[in-house]
Amino acid sequence: MVLDNLLGDGLISSGMLPVEHNDPINARILAISEDKIEGFVREPFEEIAVRSGVPMDVVMARIAAMLRARTIRRVRQTLLATNLAAGALVAWKVPENKIDAAFDWMFQRDPFSGHVVLRSTDTVTAGSDYKLWTTLKVPQGFSLQTHCELLVKKVGAERFRLMPAKGIFTLGVGHVRRKTIEPGSKSDQPAKMIPVQMVDLSEHEWSVLLALKREFTPEEIRPSPWVTRAKEAGVSPEEFYRLAEELNARKIIGRFSTFLEHVKPSAGGVRVTRFNALFHWAVPPGREIEAGGEVGRHHILTHCYWRDAGPEFKNVNIMAVAHGTDKQLLLDHKAAIDQHLQSSGIPVSYTNVFWGGRSEIKPSEISPHIYREWLAQQV
């Protein structure tokens, strides 16, 4: 078709099509493609087209153009990596004169640190001297603690606090569709917790999984995108589909997603979000699942976890993330969640907000083979 030729020749560019997230057609596409295509889908761009009501050729052309323009920072099949590799949120206490260098090292030289964010609080409070926050995944057979101890030596950190997820209540993105959500908007039922439990994979399954999760280039945004990935993994398309659907049934596959550049402005100066809020609550031990379900049902949240933060953070055990362009509106969302917890009879002994500043985001590597290679280079 004509579109295939345009895509193949690279003629559809950011200069020929609208590439901002708030263009009406792009917004319709992104409202679906950000976080609504759950699991493994054989024809993901067709599914986005059907659910958005935008023709498939337009969907593919617009996503490719936004990816070239960096409005979309990546297109990929996400994994529930918490079931494939040991993971944690890590808070780092780093001397002020070393914090920028530490940020750069973790972003540029540690493929296992995903989100790297500088965070601050509105007042000096519990844990506010932990300004560098990262997400970390370490492949099976290796240690989160040992990895962090190595990073301490590399960046000159004073202390770190590992906070593995014990349960997941909310995991999505959807910045475009969340722009119009009112404070207090929530699901009819509490969020169900997804427990974190390791899954063992064979070498054959790993080869398919690694091909499946690789980011898409603009040229790969076309019908039947998995056919070339099957070839890459050394299997037939039908074998690739069979294994991908089996991995999906085992709760290893997340979503097919287009990730917006939500931290930095686009080439045209438009921001998807301005503020990134990490909400903290400390609830009584034994009530984490109940509290996480009540917090996680709120539509504004992109993430909600049960994590034990320890005494440095006044024993916070429920954490959630929300993004927005208006700081006060995010605080209004937080106040609505606080009120809901109170009306649900769940005591909160402490709560806080850590605001995101400088931020870089990349997927955490989870391959044991790549980890062994990286570790050998650190000696």
Side-chain angles (χ1 to χ4, degrees):
M1 63 169 66
V2 173
L3 178 74
D4 285 339
N5 294 333
L6 288 172
L7 286 171
D9 294 340
L11 296 177
I12 290 182
S13 69
S14 59
M16 296 173 61
L17 289 172
V19 295
E20 299 294 0
H21 76 276
N22 53 5
D23 169 82
I25 293 175
N26 290 347
R28 284 172 61 190
I29 294 168
L30 291 165
I32 300 301
S33 67
E34 276 195 275
D35 69 344
K36 286 295 189 182
I37 307 301
E38 296 189 13
F40 174 76
V41 178
R42 294 191 180 198
E43 292 288 349
F45 302 113
E46 180 180 331
E47 183 72 12
I48 293 166
V50 169
R51 296 183 62 176
S52 67
V54 177
M56 184 175 168
D57 58 346
V58 176
V59 165
M60 292 188 296
R62 292 296 186 101
I63 290 175
M66 285 188 279
L67 183 58
R68 286 193 175 95
R70 301 300 297 161
T71 301
I72 291 174
R73 71 176 187 270
R74 61 179 59 93
V75 177
R76 64 186 288 260
Q77 180 70 58
T78 69
L79 309 178
L80 291 178
T82 48
N83 292 344
L84 291 168
L89 180 66
V90 191
W92 301 86
K93 189 174 187 298
V94 183
E96 200 68 35
N97 64 336
K98 295 182 178 180
I99 199 162
D100 286 329
F103 182 105
D104 292 339
W105 203 98
M106 292 189 186
F107 172 60
Q108 297 168 5
R109 301 179 63 184
D110 182 11
F112 309 96
S113 291
H115 292 51
V116 184
V117 185
L118 296 183
R119 292 193 178 276
S120 61
T121 53
D122 290 331
T123 59
V124 175
T125 185
S128 59
D129 53 347
Y130 287 78
K131 298 186 185 306
L132 177 61
W133 294 67
T134 62
T135 56
L136 175 65
K137 296 281 193 308
V138 172
Q140 293 181 39
F142 299 95
S143 162
L144 287 165
Q145 180 74 22
T146 302
H147 188 94
C148 288
E149 289 169 358
L150 187 156
L151 293 186
V152 163
K153 296 175 184 176
K154 293 291 183 181
V155 306
E158 295 175 359
R159 292 198 301 276
F160 63 88
R161 174 67 191 182
L162 272 169
M163 296 170 272
K166 294 189 172 183
I168 305 167
F169 300 94
T170 302
L171 186 59
V173 194
H175 298 303
V176 169
R177 64 182 175 80
R178 282 182 170 86
K179 283 179 176 289
T180 57
I181 289 174
E182 294 293 325
S185 174
K186 58 186 181 293
S187 301
D188 292 338
Q189 299 294 325
K192 291 186 177 178
M193 188 182 83
I194 303 169
V196 176
Q197 49 197 6
M198 291 294 105
V199 176
D200 288 323
L201 299 182
S202 68
E203 287 294 323
H204 186 48
E205 289 168 330
W206 267 112
S207 67
V208 168
L209 198 68
L210 292 175
L212 184 75
K213 80 180 185 70
R214 183 171 61 76
E215 293 178 23
F216 279 71
T217 65
E219 293 73 27
E220 290 180 300
I221 296 170
R222 55 175 62 250
S224 303
W226 303 121
V227 172
T228 54
R229 297 297 175 92
K231 187 176 181 182
E232 185 180 309
V235 298
S236 69
E238 281 307 313
E239 173 70 357
F240 188 92
Y241 293 145
R242 184 188 71 78
L243 277 171
E245 287 162 356
E246 186 179 295
L247 292 170
N248 189 48
R250 291 168 67 187
K251 307 298 184 187
I252 293 169
I253 306 298
R255 295 178 172 86
F256 186 86
S257 299
T258 61
F259 292 87
L260 288 170
E261 178 50 81
H262 65 277
V263 177
K264 303 168 187 172
S266 70
V270 178
R271 288 182 180 270
V272 177
T273 67
R274 293 185 64 85
F275 298 96
N276 162 357
L278 174 62
F279 299 149
H280 282 185
W281 293 273
V283 303
R287 300 192 70 177
E288 294 93 346
I289 295 175
E290 179 189 2
E294 296 301 338
V295 171
R297 70 197 290 181
H298 286 78
H299 295 142
I300 191 62
L301 301 176
T302 58
H303 302 73
C304 181
Y305 291 91
W306 170 9
R307 302 183 187 274
D308 289 333
E312 298 97 325
F313 297 93
K314 291 199 173 180
N315 298 311
V316 160
N317 46 14
I318 301 297
M319 298 187 185
V321 176
H323 300 260
T325 54
D326 184 296
K327 185 175 182 179
Q328 185 56 53
L329 183 56
L330 283 176
L331 289 172
D332 292 344
H333 280 286
K334 167 73 163 49
I337 298 172
D338 292 342
Q339 177 59 43
H340 178 70
L341 286 172
Q342 183 179 354
S343 65
S344 300
I346 299 173
V348 175
S349 61
Y350 170 77
T351 185
N352 203 355
V353 182
F354 278 74
W355 298 101
R358 184 185 177 197
S359 176
E360 294 286 357
I361 300 169
K362 64 186 191 294
S364 295
E365 185 52 71
I366 58 172
S367 163
H369 175 70
I370 292 174
Y371 191 85
R372 282 189 288 268
E373 287 184 344
W374 179 86
L375 202 57
Q377 294 167 5
Q378 307 310 311
V379 178

